[in-house]
Amino acid sequence: REHLRRATLVAETTRNERLRVREYAERWLRGKAPALKKSSLYRYAETLDLHILPQLGDYYLDALSPADVTAWRDAQIGRPATINGRLRVLRTMLRDAVADLDLPRDPCGRVRTLREKRDEDDPNRLTSEELRELLDVFRRDHAEWYPLVLTLALTGARFGEASALKWTDIDEKNGVIRIRRSHWRGTVDSTKTGSSRTVPLPDVLRDALREQRRRLVVEQNPGLSEGWVFPSRAGTLLFGPSLRKPMRAACRTLGLDRRQTIHGLRRTFNNLVRQVATGEVVRSMTGHVTEAMTEHYSHVELEEKRRAVATVFRDLATESGRSGGRSGP
């Protein structure tokens, strides 16, 4: 596909034609589209349209310099991590342009990313005690969201992965959840890394999911026909923003005075399990970017995963077993 994309770009460009950044970006994105996930295509297009082309679109590619790119970077508004994400899109496109059009230099060469704050300054993660208290608040005050939040907390799944779970992915007999797909704005696709993985199914989560299924059956939720574990009231896939309001409310109840997002549950899982298990075990459950290579060179036994999760969440399971919770929106 990459060879075909480059052949198409070269065919569209005569040897003597000077392309502006805007013209190349349109051809580049069109050539990339067939191989990209919908979410990635949207991110590339949005970054180009809103943040790159308005400032750099009229530059000729062969005249664009690292100084121009540096000036563009420094004029961007946003957090360092956000600006670095835009720079990565620009760098990816311009490196392809160097290869496709035999440019004399890489305009992003030697342009560095901005320094980002360390996690300690903006952790967006919870301690084990804070997590236990947060789950208690959800079980008591936001019970309709408790099974989903518990799933996010005990599996480390991305929101798109957890919200795309089907009942066929819940294997009570073997005590595992199989994470095989994700969704972005309702479009179902493979996981971010393109591979599936298994995570343990602790008893507390098994019980919550049983109650979730019972509730869906009682309500005759339309999502039952598709097999979704966490459908909306209309039976469709849930979007991330739907959980933001109850998350903020639960954090206010706990008196948390720092930023805590839905994605922070994944970071919490990663941080807590990292303290009791090897990196291979952690990555095999979280599906981080390096998962593919880790899984290729190692084999993490299911029992090893179970021990890690059981150790971290032992107290949580004990507390949850002492008190039941209503469930259902």
Side-chain angles (χ1 to χ4, degrees), residues 115-126:
R115 183 178 179 181
E116 299 180 20
K117 289 183 178 180
R118 295 179 59 86
D119 285 348
E120 289 76 7
D121 298 325
D122 183 21
N124 191 21
R125 63 175 180 257
L126 303 166

Side-chain angles (χ1 to χ4, degrees), residues 96-130:
D96 281 347
V98 171
D100 295 336
L101 306 176
D102 295 325
L103 296 180
R105 63 182 172 187
D106 179 0
C108 277
R110 303 179 70 83
V111 177
R112 297 190 177 189
T113 56
L114 298 177
R115 183 178 179 181
E116 299 180 20
K117 289 183 178 180
R118 295 179 59 86
D119 285 348
E120 289 76 7
D121 298 325
D122 183 21
N124 191 21
R125 63 175 180 257
L126 303 166
T127 65
S128 58
E129 179 64 26
E130 289 171 335

Side-chain angles (χ1 to χ4, degrees), residues 16-254:
N16 296 322
E17 182 183 2
R18 293 185 75 196
L19 282 181
R20 296 183 187 274
V21 172
R22 187 183 313 280
E23 296 166 328
Y24 178 80
E26 293 172 355
R27 301 180 189 183
W28 177 77
L29 196 59
R30 187 168 65 248
K32 282 279 190 185
L36 289 176
K37 288 180 177 291
K38 190 174 181 180
S39 56
S40 297
L41 179 61
Y42 179 88
R43 178 170 58 85
Y44 280 13
E46 182 180 55
T47 301
L48 286 167
D49 288 344
L50 299 182
H51 305 291
I52 295 176
L53 298 184
Q55 289 78 37
L56 300 178
D58 291 332
Y59 280 77
Y60 282 110
L61 280 167
D62 59 0
L64 188 65
S65 70
D68 296 324
V69 174
T70 300
W72 165 84
R73 180 203 65 188
D74 294 343
Q76 293 294 296
I77 298 175
R79 299 174 63 199
T82 301
I83 295 172
N84 289 340
R86 298 169 190 166
L87 179 59
R88 281 191 288 272
V89 172
L90 179 61
R91 178 176 287 142
T92 298
M93 182 184 73
L94 292 179
R95 283 178 176 172
D96 281 347
V98 171
D100 295 336
L101 306 176
D102 295 325
L103 296 180
R105 63 182 172 187
D106 179 0
C108 277
R110 303 179 70 83
V111 177
R112 297 190 177 189
T113 56
L114 298 177
R115 183 178 179 181
E116 299 180 20
K117 289 183 178 180
R118 295 179 59 86
D119 285 348
E120 289 76 7
D121 298 325
D122 183 21
N124 191 21
R125 63 175 180 257
L126 303 166
T127 65
S128 58
E129 179 64 26
E130 289 171 335
L131 177 60
R132 182 165 54 249
E133 292 175 351
L134 180 73
L135 292 173
D136 285 342
V137 170
F138 266 98
R139 185 173 55 242
R140 184 188 69 230
D141 300 339
H142 310 280
E144 68 273 22
W145 296 106
Y146 174 65
L148 174 56
V149 172
L150 188 65
T151 299
L152 292 167
L154 299 194
T155 66
R158 301 174 178 91
F159 182 87
E161 295 170 339
S163 56
L165 283 172
K166 291 192 172 186
W167 290 108
T168 52
D169 301 322
I170 312 301
D171 184 352
E172 288 195 15
K173 180 180 179 181
N174 292 303
V176 297
I177 297 177
R178 294 184 173 84
I179 299 176
R180 307 188 257 213
R181 71 189 71 79
S182 185
H183 86 94
W184 180 81
R185 298 190 177 188
T187 299
V188 179
D189 204 337
S190 60
T191 63
K192 184 175 182 179
T193 59
S195 59
S196 61
R197 62 188 188 276
T198 59
V199 294
L201 176 64
D203 291 347
V204 62
L205 181 54
R206 178 202 62 203
D207 294 343
L209 292 177
R210 285 177 178 175
E211 177 60 21
Q212 168 74 356
R213 184 169 180 81
R214 184 201 65 77
R215 178 183 65 81
L216 294 177
V217 171
V218 169
E219 295 178 351
Q220 282 299 287
N221 187 288
L224 282 171
S225 62
E226 296 293 328
W228 302 124
V229 176
F230 302 112
S232 68
R233 292 178 184 272
T236 57
L237 289 162
L238 285 173
F239 292 0
S242 60
L243 188 49
R244 289 176 187 169
K245 186 175 180 179
M247 174 63 79
R248 286 196 292 264
C251 289
R252 284 197 301 270
T253 299
L254 289 179

